[in-house]
Amino acid sequence: MLPPLVSIIIPVYRAEKTLPACLDQLKAQSYRSLQLIFIDDCSPDGSYAYLASQREALEALGMEVTLLRHEKNQGVAIARNTGLDAAHGEYIYSVDADDRLADNAIELLVKAAEQRRVDIVGCECYLEEGAHTRQIHQPDVKTGQEAFQQICYGRMKWNLWLFMIRRSLMDALGASPFSPGVNMGEDLMVMGKLLYRASSVSIIHEPLYTYIRSDQQITNVYRPEHWQQVETNVRELESYLTTHGATQELELLHYLKLNLKLPLLISTRREDFRRWGAMYSESNEY
């Protein structure tokens, strides 16, 4: 019996400098039944050429390589949709081109998914900020409802690279689940829908992924359009839950909204405080 195929979606934009390390970690995976889907979002650097040059080496390891390129830059949401359209594995996983993945990460995730018969299996991660690294822990949950609750209470992270998802569950969201052009909070929106639909979830309490926060990300202040994109994705999730009559999840969503806009409340900028009051104003009483 062949091991289940895992489709790994890797959006690429201006990643020429980090792609060598990214590919090294993929080559080092102890689990080889992989479909590597690279989506170059019209990078102006040599990202696509480098990927093309490495294709044969990856395929020599028994991995399937799908190399796609957008003719114009469209953003990470559409890149993720492009990747999903090309995926045919039993499981879906996501990797960012500038992060790190433990050598046994996919093996452990598949093993847990198969043995525990779950829709979604998650893990913990390291957060690397300059010279500092700390482990991010995830709470132990058994159902999608429990995981959704923990995310809303701010106790659980929702990043796509923390979860391997059964493709049949992802397919249930329909074609192109990521909203085109809405590139901030896109993972929160989709993971929220997936967890609402998931009957079973399991967490591996090991840091299998390292998220590298660059100096630019550490010092970056959200621009108004970023806050708007996050809100658009939250409203999409809210609409989805309303359509499905998810009363309990809609109540929990108020706490998620408060957690999302908390940075505005602790800012020293007057305009941030005004934005805090207006953004998700229906949740302020909570």
Side-chain angles (χ1 to χ4, degrees):
M1 184 176 178
L2 294 174
L5 182 69
V6 179
S7 296
I8 302 182
I9 296 173
I10 309 140
V12 175
Y13 184 69
R14 294 182 183 270
E16 184 178 14
K17 292 181 179 180
T18 61
L19 276 173
C22 176
L23 267 61
D24 283 347
Q25 69 185 357
L26 293 171
K27 292 174 184 176
Q29 286 302 303
S30 56
Y31 191 87
R32 294 298 173 84
S33 183
L34 301 175
Q35 178 195 14
L36 305 178
I37 307 172
F38 298 96
I39 311 97
D40 181 80
D41 195 22
C42 196
S43 295
D45 59 10
S47 294
Y48 186 83
Y50 179 77
L51 290 170
S53 72
Q54 295 297 306
R55 182 172 194 158
E56 188 174 333
L58 290 165
E59 291 176 337
L61 295 172
M63 302 175 184
E64 178 182 341
V65 179
T66 304
L67 182 52
L68 306 169
R69 191 182 193 195
H70 290 162
E71 291 302 315
K72 64 178 182 178
N73 180 254
Q74 301 182 69
V76 69
I78 291 183
R80 294 195 193 284
N81 285 335
T82 299
L84 285 172
D85 287 343
H88 59 85
E90 188 172 341
Y91 296 101
I92 302 291
Y93 188 65
S94 295
V95 168
D96 287 350
D98 54 354
D99 293 335
R100 291 196 297 270
L101 188 65
D103 293 352
N104 61 345
I106 304 301
E107 179 183 2
L108 293 179
L109 289 167
V110 171
K111 183 178 180 180
E114 292 288 287
Q115 290 183 346
R116 304 173 192 179
R117 301 290 181 182
V118 294
D119 297 322
I120 298 174
V121 59
C123 65
E124 298 180 343
C125 69
Y126 289 118
L127 170 61
E128 185 176 302
E129 299 178 286
H132 303 284
T133 301
R134 63 186 175 97
Q135 185 172 343
I136 304 297
H137 299 278
Q138 294 280 68
D140 197 50
V141 295
K142 304 296 184 186
T143 67
Q145 186 179 61
E146 289 176 355
F148 189 94
Q149 181 185 65
Q150 293 299 307
I151 284 175
C152 290
Y153 286 158
R155 301 168 185 160
M156 187 172 188
K157 303 299 182 184
W158 59 74
N159 309 77
L160 283 170
W161 34 259
L162 285 169
F163 301 96
M164 193 178 73
I165 302 150
R166 198 173 291 274
R167 186 164 66 93
S168 57
L169 180 66
M170 183 69 81
D171 288 346
L173 298 185
S176 302
F178 296 93
S179 300
V182 190
N183 300 308
M184 299 291 291
E186 86 289 355
D187 48 354
L188 169 61
M189 182 268 287
V190 168
M191 280 308 306
K193 292 181 179 181
L194 290 169
L195 290 171
Y196 168 72
R197 299 188 68 96
S199 59
S200 53
V201 176
S202 185
I203 302 295
I204 298 174
H205 295 290
E206 294 183 41
L208 303 180
Y209 194 95
T210 299
Y211 171 53
I212 301 173
R213 183 177 289 174
S214 66
D215 291 340
Q216 183 180 4
Q217 290 170 311
I218 294 170
T219 59
N220 184 50
V221 176
Y222 268 21
R223 297 191 295 271
E225 60 267 29
H226 291 157
W227 287 109
Q228 184 57 56
Q229 288 183 22
V230 172
E231 184 167 4
T232 297
N233 275 311
V234 171
R235 295 300 184 193
E236 167 58 26
L237 174 58
E238 186 173 37
S239 175
Y240 184 86
L241 296 173
T242 300
T243 300
H244 288 79
T247 306
Q248 183 174 348
E249 284 78 9
L250 285 167
E251 183 74 12
L252 288 166
L253 206 60
H254 288 292
Y255 299 99
L256 174 63
K257 292 173 182 177
L258 290 173
N259 274 306
L260 286 172
K261 67 177 186 171
L262 180 61
L264 292 168
L265 186 61
I266 61 177
S267 168
T268 59
R269 294 162 19 120
R270 186 178 298 272
E271 58 268 33
D272 284 346
F273 181 71
R274 285 196 293 265
R275 181 178 289 276
W276 180 89
M279 191 176 183
Y280 315 126
S281 59
E282 72 278 5
S283 300
N284 289 350
E285 63 181 285
Y286 286 77

